Amino acid sequence: MIDQILDALSRIADLGGPVVLILIAASILATTVVLIKLWQFKQARVGSHKELGAAITAWDAGDHDAARAHLSRSRSYLRDVLDHAMSGQTESARLNAEAETRFARLESGFRLLDSVAQMAPLLGLFGTVLGMISAFQSLQDAGSHVDPSILAGGIWIALLTTAVGLAVAMPTSLVLSWFETRMDKERTFAERAIHTVLSPTEPPRNA
């Protein structure tokens, strides 16, 4: 199995050169980060705040007992932040800072994905330029015995690196955009939740 993989990588390197191997390594790294982030989002219950939302609604209505009951059933990563708010922590700046600490853990790896999305097309273009230089050198070495297939073959191999670069960059960029959109929604939810707990609409009905 390993021999087959090494043989496939060797053939790819022969066609596209070391730039293609670098792009393949970058795609493997990006895929690994994406899978880790998906697992981390699932463990943190990102976007799954049903009990937390019910707790906030109950707290806003003045029913603190029901709010704490819902909060105790929540498995959201933001539960501790709201627990502090409901327990008497009234400094919104500190609560927001605690929420940001949790957001930072979830956003770790985003910069790497962004770097892959930005650098992959440039690496692909770099490989294409190197391939074109090689193709024209081969054409020059042929002298008067010019075979159009020499140039055509060199060009398509050169363009292969650009195609690989775009193939790596586009899905990485889309996944990163999805992750960032989810985190923007999480921030909006956390800000609203903290504000609601600190400034409820109704006074508490029970102690």
Side-chain angles (χ1 to χ4, degrees), residues 9-173:
L9 291 176
S10 177
R11 289 198 300 269
I12 292 172
D14 290 339
L15 282 176
V19 173
V20 171
L21 288 179
I22 293 173
L23 287 170
I24 291 174
S27 69
I28 293 173
L29 180 61
T31 301
T32 302
V33 172
V34 168
L35 292 176
I36 291 173
K37 300 314 296 181
L38 288 173
W39 175 84
Q40 191 177 9
F41 273 39
K42 182 178 180 181
Q43 292 296 110
R45 299 296 192 274
V46 172
S48 300
H49 304 304
K50 181 178 180 181
E51 290 293 341
L52 212 59
I56 295 166
T57 300
W59 187 275
D60 193 39
D63 192 348
H64 289 190
D65 287 346
R68 289 198 170 279
H70 285 296
L71 187 65
S72 66
R73 291 192 293 269
S74 173
R75 299 178 65 186
S76 169
Y77 69 102
L78 291 172
R79 180 182 63 181
D80 291 342
V81 176
L82 293 188
D83 182 50
H84 293 159
M86 292 179 182
S87 298
Q89 174 58 259
T90 59
E91 295 182 14
S92 60
R94 183 169 180 176
L95 293 170
N96 285 322
E98 290 183 5
E100 281 297 328
T101 300
R102 290 159 174 78
F103 296 149
R105 285 198 292 267
L106 291 172
E107 291 175 338
S108 63
F110 282 14
R111 188 177 295 275
L112 187 147
L113 293 177
D114 183 57
S115 297
V116 171
Q118 292 189 39
M119 290 300 298
L122 296 178
L123 282 171
L125 181 59
F126 178 63
T128 295
V129 171
L130 293 179
M132 294 295 288
I133 291 173
S134 177
F136 282 112
Q137 282 179 338
S138 298
L139 191 63
Q140 182 182 23
D141 293 340
S144 59
H145 304 287
V146 177
D147 184 355
S149 65
I150 297 176
L151 183 59
I155 290 176
W156 84 260
I157 291 175
L159 293 175
L160 176 65
T161 59
T162 296
V164 174
L166 292 174
V168 172
M170 289 188 291
T172 302
S173 180

